[in-house]
């Protein structure tokens, strides 16, 4: 059985601790020897290596200096920050309602210059119509038993779309063709949404690619939905929570997958043709 995101976060903590322990061993230092070089207590070194104490960024930098591995310090600090913020359950993120959850991510959208988005389930929020967003958020509220602030949350998500039209930003969206045909909100909602996609999805600073459905897909399989913000952060929405990735190595992995999916997708007139076919199929 695959690990849950929460157990993945624990695995990430253990991985960081193991990397620190390996630095100490590679430097041929005992626990006591590292403690003497850093000014830590013997027990603090042991607790960090056994994930019982969270190291501070300065602890990690001191550890790297003591092991003559200063060149690894910032990557290890990035790993620490990734562990700290990598997993938030929806129940925590949405405890004040859907509107507050929408507001919490708005600054990230506004400070990002290059957005890369892959979605295999839904039209991404920046390309959604109000009716499509309302259908999604009503379903989300019912499923998670949240307070009913859907109307306010819809307004917040619509307001966030200003980033699509303002400033020197670029957007690259890749969608699975099935997203065009999943019937969110019913025929009229989907018809309006697809027509809007024909407009918003082909703005001058927007690239829209659609991965066609095919019986012999042997290249990049569909993966979890993800959003790359510049080259500094990846957001992944899962059933149980919100995953934030900031480790450079993992961001590079998502960037490679996005590039593969982008190459698999059709663009321009071919993408428009798939959207028109989906509109026609709605009757």
């Amino acid at each position: 059985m695959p690990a849950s995101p929460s157990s993945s976060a624990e695995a990430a903590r253990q991985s960081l601790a193991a990397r620190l322990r390996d630095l100490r061993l590679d430097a041929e230092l005992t626990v006591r020897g590292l403690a003497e070089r850093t000014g830590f207590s013997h027990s603090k070194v042991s607790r960090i290596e056994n994930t019982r104490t969270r190291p501070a960024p300065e602890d990690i930098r001191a550890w790297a200096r003591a092991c003559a591995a200063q060149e690894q310090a910032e990557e290890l600090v990035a790993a620490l920050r990734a562990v700290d913020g990598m997993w938030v359950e929806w129940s925590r993120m949405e405890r004040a309602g859907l509107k507050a959850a929408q507001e919490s991510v708005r600054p990230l959208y506004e400070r990002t210059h290059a957005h890369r988005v892959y979605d295999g389930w839904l039209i991404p929020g920046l390309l959604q119509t109000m009716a499509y967003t309302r259908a999604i958020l009503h379903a989300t509220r019912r499923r998670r038993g949240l307070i009913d602030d859907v109307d306010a949350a819809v307004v917040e998500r619509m307001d966030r779309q200003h980033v699509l039209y303002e400033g020197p930003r670029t957007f690259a969206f890749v969608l699975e063709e099935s997203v065009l045909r999943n019937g969110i909100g019913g025929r009229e909602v989907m018809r309006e949404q697809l027509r809007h996609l024909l407009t918003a999805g082909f703005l001058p600073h927007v690239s829209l690619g659609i991965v066609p459905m095919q019986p012999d897909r042997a290249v990049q399989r569909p993966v979890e939905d993800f959003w790359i913000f510049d080259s500094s952060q990846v957001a992944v929405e899962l059933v149980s929570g919100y995953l934030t990735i900031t480790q450079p190595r993992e961001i590079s992995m998502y960037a490679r997958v996005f590039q593969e999916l982008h190459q698999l997708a059709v663009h321009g007139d071919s993408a428009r043709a798939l959207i028109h076919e989906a509109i026609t199929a709605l009757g």
Side-chain angles (χ1 to χ4, degrees):
M1 179 180 295
S4 69
S6 53
S7 64
S8 295
E10 177 59 31
R13 285 190 285 271
Q14 293 173 355
S15 176
L16 175 60
R19 291 178 68 185
L20 292 172
R21 182 171 59 253
D22 288 345
L23 281 187
R24 175 177 64 76
L25 295 174
D26 289 344
E28 299 183 346
L29 290 171
T30 63
V31 169
R32 192 171 299 280
L34 182 73
E36 290 173 354
R37 288 195 182 187
T38 57
F40 299 165
S41 67
H42 175 278
S43 61
K44 178 175 179 176
V45 173
S46 180
R47 290 196 307 272
I48 288 174
E49 290 192 356
N50 289 285
T51 69
R52 291 197 297 271
T53 292
R54 173 198 177 278
E58 284 310 311
D59 292 338
I60 288 179
R61 294 187 179 102
W63 194 297
R65 284 195 301 271
C67 298
Q70 294 93 322
E71 73 282 356
Q72 297 187 47
E74 294 312 310
E75 182 182 354
L76 289 166
V77 169
L80 172 68
R81 289 172 176 154
V83 170
D84 285 346
M86 69 180 298
W87 178 248
V88 181
E89 291 186 354
W90 291 122
S91 58
R92 176 183 166 197
M93 188 172 184
E94 298 170 342
R95 62 181 179 269
L98 287 167
K99 180 177 184 288
Q102 296 292 315
E103 290 173 334
S104 70
V105 297
R106 183 169 180 162
L108 177 59
Y109 282 72
E110 292 179 334
R111 67 174 177 262
T112 298
H113 296 286
H115 299 251
R116 285 172 286 175
V117 186
Y118 167 76
D119 209 312
W121 297 101
L122 301 170
I123 303 292
L126 291 182
L127 300 177
Q128 291 175 6
T129 63
M130 183 174 288
Y132 188 90
T133 294
R134 184 175 288 108
I136 291 170
L137 294 184
H138 270 302
T140 300
R141 185 195 69 79
R142 289 192 297 269
R143 184 171 67 250
R144 297 177 186 158
L146 305 172
I147 63 172
D148 188 356
D149 64 345
V150 168
D151 288 344
V154 170
V155 170
E156 172 60 28
R157 181 173 287 187
M158 293 298 103
D159 284 349
R160 190 198 306 162
Q161 291 183 358
H162 77 89
V163 301
L164 197 63
Y165 304 96
E166 300 173 2
R169 298 183 180 92
T170 60
F171 301 84
F173 298 96
V174 174
L175 311 180
E176 296 289 338
E177 184 183 354
S178 56
V179 170
L180 310 178
R181 300 173 179 271
N182 60 15
I184 298 294
R187 290 177 183 272
E188 289 305 315
V189 169
M190 279 302 301
R191 187 179 291 109
E192 178 192 31
Q193 175 61 72
L194 294 175
R195 287 172 177 162
H196 177 68
L197 191 60
L198 286 169
T199 302
F202 295 94
L203 292 168
H205 52 289
V206 173
S207 166
L208 175 61
I210 299 174
V211 181
M213 294 186 292
Q214 50 191 292
D216 58 349
R217 182 166 172 173
V219 193
Q220 178 60 257
R221 66 177 179 81
V223 297
E224 66 273 14
D225 300 345
F226 62 88
W227 195 298
I228 306 175
F229 298 91
D230 291 323
S231 294
S232 60
Q233 182 171 324
V234 177
V236 185
E237 293 191 5
L238 302 174
V239 171
S240 52
Y242 187 87
L243 183 65
T244 299
I245 294 169
T246 57
Q247 286 184 294
R249 183 176 63 255
E250 291 185 87
I251 292 172
S252 295
M253 290 174 61
Y254 275 93
R256 286 196 300 273
V257 169
F258 182 84
Q259 185 60 29
E260 291 172 7
L261 289 162
H262 187 271
Q263 292 172 350
L264 190 60
V266 297
H267 301 81
D269 289 342
S270 296
R272 290 186 184 91
L274 290 177
I275 298 172
H276 280 297
E277 288 176 14
I279 292 173
T280 300
L282 288 169

